Amino acid sequence: DQRHEVQQWLLKSQRDLKAARRLFSGEDPLLDIVVYHCQQSAEKALKAYLKKDTIIAITSLEASKKI
């Protein structure tokens, strides 16, 4: 299901951000790894957004065909 896929991308994005926060708040922050996880979080959130946008477009197209 496409909606489930959107939820999974958002969950993965949140986990990457959580990992970045933990790595940043440590005694010796691993900044390169923090930046990597931030980038991954943003990329996964964008994938969720694009997937959601596609779902909306398809739903709208299907609805217009019924008219």
Side-chain angles (χ1 to χ4, degrees):
D1 170 80
Q2 292 182 339
R3 294 180 199 280
H4 178 71
E5 186 178 347
V6 170
Q7 292 172 338
Q8 290 302 306
W9 280 119
L10 289 173
L11 179 61
K12 291 175 184 185
S13 173
Q14 291 170 347
R15 288 181 179 169
D16 274 321
L17 196 54
K18 187 175 184 177
R21 286 184 180 134
R22 286 186 181 176
L23 291 166
F24 183 73
S25 66
E27 188 174 313
D28 183 21
L30 304 170
L31 297 181
D32 58 332
I33 307 301
V34 169
V35 170
Y36 170 77
H37 281 288
C38 288
Q39 181 273 328
Q40 287 294 301
S41 177
E43 184 177 320
K44 291 168 186 171
L46 179 60
K47 285 182 182 183
Y49 173 79
L50 293 173
K51 187 69 173 180
K52 179 179 172 278
D53 198 40
T54 301
I55 293 169
I56 292 169
I58 290 170
T59 303
S60 296
L61 181 61
E62 289 172 352
S64 69
K65 287 181 180 179
K66 292 179 183 180
I67 296 176

